């Protein structure tokens, strides 16, 4: 295990954060920079690390020495792994609450075919969450537990509890701000306005000032508790600069399978074409752009370079239609979940410096929709298969190869067989073109893992397997995003949904 964990940057990241919060006063947490993996999560997560550090000292005090960069020991590895497993208790409870929200009309005699059982397996044994948390190393299960529990509370019409949980979640990890528009609009539409007209339109006179005030108080109190000490210390700008590091470049070191991966690949292709046709001057093209592969500071040669503002505008525009649908075509919890998934996917598609792991932010809530309708089940299968496959490069050592392939196969086979069984009386979940696309992931993996290392390209272009994986998966993620959007925009609302 120690040999595996040496290569996980996130393992060292969290060890360093344990050391920072344990040894330094609050005023130095967001300034300390001995390691390159500085504290860049919101204050609640820093306090979470602080609490863990007081348990960690009983396992191995050396892991709490700030200068012990890349420190590992059996006790350290055991503690880190155990802390993830223990905090997953919240995730298990949240899954139980989400299963209680699923419509039971499709109840089957066999428990294995019940929507609630299938949903529980899809969430608890999610392949992406399993490898990211328990092999690569992170605390996503705990964080997704907070998100799914807040979703469950909103579905149960316990709006204040849901709002409180989401506000707390935002101050644990700010990536969840991507789905904040869905929460904001849904709470405004369903909680602050207490009634609809017969045609489903909003009854403006039903606006409740008390409800708005209560929501505002929750947001303000949670924010004050989290950021208050740093505002008093005059360190809020420093905290913000750590949370939003726009200097890191458009793409993560390994391109997430999104629109910018396709954009970058197109730029590379146009550059090669331009050089061969003598449209471009070879002396004016940076060498790194042709041989460096998937670098963070990507220099576009032919296409316009992308700025943080441009990605923000693209993200905002791509989210707008889903937010409008949530407001003007209310469908209760189902509409909220659709909007939440679209917000997560739109941010993944167009965000700045997106991590490949962020695809889980869309996959997990989409699981709730997949067991309720065949159309959503088909989209879920496309998104999970491509999204999970895109996580393969996170585990790149030889011992991890059979583990990730076996786990992926088990989860994918179960997803297809269980959802197919659930909707066996309806049309096929995938058409022939979608099936061919997904099957092609097999030869892609064989080429990347077994054939490419034997070719001379490995020495000169080592980034090609990552590039191919990212670009091919980006096609599937983009397709799933567009298909879900078309489904939401063209969906007709029943009389019962309008009444709700």
């Amino acid at each position: 295990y120690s040999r595996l964990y040496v290569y996980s940057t996130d393992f060292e990241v969290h060890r360093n954060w344990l050391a920072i919060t344990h040894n330094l006063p609050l005023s130095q947490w967001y300034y300390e920079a001995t390691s390159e993996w500085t504290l860049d999560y919101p204050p609640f997560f820093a306090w979470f690390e602080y609490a863990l550090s007081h348990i960690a000292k009983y396992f191995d005090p050396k892991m709490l020495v700030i200068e012990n960069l890349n420190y590992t020991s059996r006790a350290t590895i055991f503690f880190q792994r155990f802390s993830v497993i223990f905090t997953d208790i919240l995730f298990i409870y949240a899954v139980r609450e989400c299963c209680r929200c699923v419509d039971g009309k499709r109840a089957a005699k066999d428990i294995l075919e019940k929507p609630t059982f299938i949903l529980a397996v899809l969430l608890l044994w999610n392949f992406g969450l399993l490898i990211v948390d328990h092999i690569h190393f992170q605390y996503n299960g705990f964080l997704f537990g907070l998100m799914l529990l807040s979703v469950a509370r909103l579905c149960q019409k316990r709006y204040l509890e849901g709002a409180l949980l989401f506000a707390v979640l935002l101050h644990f990890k700010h990536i969840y701000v991507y789905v904040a528009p869905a929460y904001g609009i849904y709470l405004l539409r369903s909680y602050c306005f207490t009634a609809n007209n017969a045609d489903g339109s909003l009854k403006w006179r039903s606006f409740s000032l008390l409800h708005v005030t209560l929501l505002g108080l929750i947001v303000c109190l949670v924010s004050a508790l989290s950021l208050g000490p740093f505002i008093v210390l005059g360190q809020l700008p420093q905290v913000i600069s750590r949370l939003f590091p726009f200097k890191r470049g458009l793409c993560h070191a390994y391109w997430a399978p999104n629109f910018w991966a396709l954009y970058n690949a197109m730029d590379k292709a146009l550059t090669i074409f331009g050089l061969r046709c003598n449209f471009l001057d070879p002396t004016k093209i940076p060498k790194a752009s042709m041989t460096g592969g998937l670098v963070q500071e990507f220099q576009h040669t032919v296409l316009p370079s992308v700025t943080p503002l441009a990605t923000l505008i693209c993200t905002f525009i791509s989210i707008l239609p889903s937010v409008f649908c949530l407001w003007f075509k209310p469908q209760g919890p189902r509409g909220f979940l659709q909007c939440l998934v679209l917000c997560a996917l739109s941010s993944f598609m167009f965000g700045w410096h997106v991590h490949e792991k962020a695809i889980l932010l869309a996959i997990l809530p989409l699981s709730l929709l997949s067991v309720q309708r065949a159309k959503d089940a088909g989209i879920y299968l496309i998104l999970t298969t491509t999204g999970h496959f895109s996580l393969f490069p996170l585990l790149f050592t030889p011992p991890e190869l059979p583990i990730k392939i076996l786990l992926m196969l088990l989860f994918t086979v179960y997803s297809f067989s269980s959802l197919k069984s659930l909707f066996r009386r309806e049309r096929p979940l995938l058409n022939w073109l979608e099936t061919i696309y997904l099957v092609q992931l097999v030869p892609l993996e064989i080429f990347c893992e077994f054939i490419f290392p034997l070719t001379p390209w490995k020495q000169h272009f080592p980034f090609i397997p990552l590039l191919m994986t990212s670009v091919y998966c980006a096609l599937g993620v983009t397709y799933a995003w567009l298909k879900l959007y078309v489904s939401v925009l063209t969906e007709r609302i029943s009389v019962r949904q309008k009444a709700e």
Side-chain angles (χ1 to χ4, degrees):
Y1 282 130
S2 61
R3 290 182 69 184
L4 290 178
Y5 270 90
V6 166
Y7 299 107
S8 172
T9 53
D10 284 305
F11 181 79
E12 169 59 17
V13 166
H14 290 282
R15 185 216 60 81
N16 185 51
W17 293 359
L18 287 171
I20 289 172
T21 54
H22 187 79
N23 293 293
L24 299 178
L26 182 74
S27 58
Q28 295 179 38
W29 285 2
Y30 287 92
Y31 282 94
E32 210 290 323
T34 301
S35 167
E36 63 179 305
W37 312 116
T38 52
L39 182 59
D40 58 5
Y41 273 25
F44 278 180
F45 201 92
W47 286 112
F48 171 71
E49 294 279 7
Y50 174 79
L52 285 179
S53 73
H54 285 278
I55 304 170
K57 66 183 179 183
Y58 295 109
F59 286 79
D60 186 352
K62 290 181 181 177
M63 78 170 93
L64 300 176
V65 178
I66 294 175
E67 291 74 23
N68 276 357
L69 302 183
N70 298 309
Y71 177 79
T72 55
S73 68
R74 284 185 178 275
T76 302
I77 293 165
F78 176 78
F79 170 76
Q80 295 279 60
R81 285 176 61 84
F82 180 74
S83 64
V84 174
I85 293 168
F86 180 76
T87 53
D88 271 353
I89 292 171
L90 178 63
F91 181 70
I92 295 168
Y93 174 69
V95 170
R96 175 181 172 273
E97 291 300 298
C98 285
C99 289
R100 290 174 61 188
C101 299
V102 171
D103 190 357
K105 287 181 181 177
R106 289 183 172 272
K109 292 180 180 179
D110 187 353
I111 189 174
L112 299 178
E113 292 187 1
K114 286 186 177 181
T116 50
F117 179 84
I118 294 170
L119 176 61
V121 176
L122 293 181
L123 289 172
L124 291 174
W125 301 108
N126 180 272
F127 166 75
L129 196 58
L130 192 64
I131 66 166
V132 167
D133 272 16
H134 297 280
I135 300 180
H136 185 71
F137 188 84
Q138 276 192 346
Y139 290 94
N140 288 297
F142 164 67
L143 298 169
F144 277 120
L146 278 173
M147 188 186 86
L148 291 179
L149 191 55
S150 72
V151 167
R153 292 296 178 250
L154 292 189
C155 292
Q156 295 162 2
K157 297 188 177 181
R158 294 158 68 173
Y159 297 110
L160 291 179
E161 284 183 55
L164 175 64
L165 287 164
F166 184 68
V168 169
L169 175 63
L170 280 179
H171 288 276
F172 265 99
K173 191 171 183 179
H174 51 302
I175 192 176
Y176 293 94
V177 75
Y178 289 159
V179 297
Y183 276 86
I185 296 297
Y186 184 66
L187 284 167
L188 185 62
R189 187 72 169 75
S190 302
Y191 181 65
C192 297
F193 288 93
T194 56
N196 288 338
N197 292 314
D199 62 352
S201 62
L202 193 66
K203 188 176 284 186
W204 290 95
R205 290 183 181 179
S206 68
F207 178 75
S208 171
L209 185 61
L210 174 63
H211 287 182
V212 173
T213 306
L214 290 173
L215 285 177
L217 277 174
I218 286 172
V219 173
C220 291
L221 287 173
V222 171
S223 300
L225 195 61
S226 170
L227 300 172
F230 299 96
I231 294 172
V232 172
L233 291 167
Q235 294 184 1
L236 187 60
Q238 174 64 17
V239 174
I240 298 298
S241 69
R242 282 283 183 89
L243 298 185
F244 301 97
F246 287 115
K247 294 178 181 178
R248 286 188 179 177
L250 172 64
C251 293
H252 191 232
Y254 153 51
W255 296 351
N258 61 7
F259 176 79
W260 303 123
L262 298 174
Y263 189 85
N264 291 348
M266 179 62 71
D267 187 76
K268 277 186 179 286
L270 290 173
T271 302
I272 293 168
F273 178 77
L275 288 170
R276 289 192 175 179
C277 297
N278 295 319
F279 294 145
L280 299 174
D281 184 355
T283 59
K284 293 183 179 180
I285 297 175
K287 188 179 179 183
S289 70
M290 292 311 299
T291 59
L294 280 63
V295 292
Q296 291 184 357
E297 295 292 341
F298 188 86
Q299 295 173 299
H300 293 101
T301 307
V302 179
L303 299 176
S305 291
V306 181
T307 63
L309 180 61
T311 63
L312 182 65
I313 292 170
C314 288
T315 304
F316 178 75
I317 292 172
S318 65
I319 281 175
L320 270 184
S322 66
V323 171
F324 276 119
C325 277
L326 185 59
W327 182 265
F328 291 107
K329 292 169 60 178
Q331 299 181 62
R334 174 181 170 70
F336 164 65
L337 275 170
Q338 287 177 329
C339 183
L340 188 149
V341 173
L342 284 171
C343 284
L345 264 181
S346 298
S347 303
F348 181 83
M349 287 294 295
F350 299 103
W352 179 267
H353 197 75
V354 173
H355 287 237
E356 62 283 349
K357 292 163 281 193
I359 193 66
L360 295 176
L361 189 54
I363 288 174
L364 290 173
L366 186 56
S367 307
L368 276 73
L369 293 172
S370 71
V371 296
Q372 298 181 56
R373 206 171 63 162
K375 189 185 293 186
D376 293 327
I379 297 169
Y380 172 82
L381 292 174
I382 297 166
L383 186 65
T384 48
T385 309
T386 52
H388 286 161
F389 185 85
S390 74
L391 298 173
F392 267 26
L394 286 175
L395 309 179
F396 52 85
T397 62
E400 292 167 319
L401 178 61
I403 296 172
K404 68 183 181 184
I405 290 176
L406 182 61
L407 287 175
M408 171 85 176
L409 275 174
L410 285 172
F411 182 80
T412 306
V413 168
Y414 177 79
S415 301
F416 275 80
S417 60
S418 61
L419 291 175
K420 185 180 178 182
S421 173
L422 186 62
F423 299 106
R424 58 177 171 268
R425 294 178 183 175
E426 301 183 35
R427 62 179 178 79
L429 300 181
L430 301 177
N431 61 42
W432 65 271
L433 196 60
E434 294 164 348
T435 305
I436 290 172
Y437 168 81
L438 293 180
V439 169
Q440 292 304 311
L441 290 170
V442 175
L444 175 61
E445 175 65 7
I446 292 171
F447 174 80
C448 292
E449 293 287 357
F450 303 106
I451 298 175
F452 181 79
L454 303 176
T455 66
W457 297 338
K458 182 175 172 61
Q459 297 296 324
H460 303 291
F461 306 104
F463 59 85
I464 282 180
L466 288 178
L467 178 69
M468 291 178 66
T469 301
S470 182
V471 170
Y472 192 78
C473 290
L475 294 172
V477 173
T478 305
Y479 176 80
W481 173 67
L482 289 172
K483 191 169 184 180
L484 182 59
Y485 240 133
V486 170
S487 170
V488 170
L489 292 173
T490 58
E491 190 171 357
R492 292 183 178 181
I493 309 172
S494 66
V495 176
R496 183 178 61 82
Q497 287 174 322
K498 285 182 178 181
E500 288 176 357

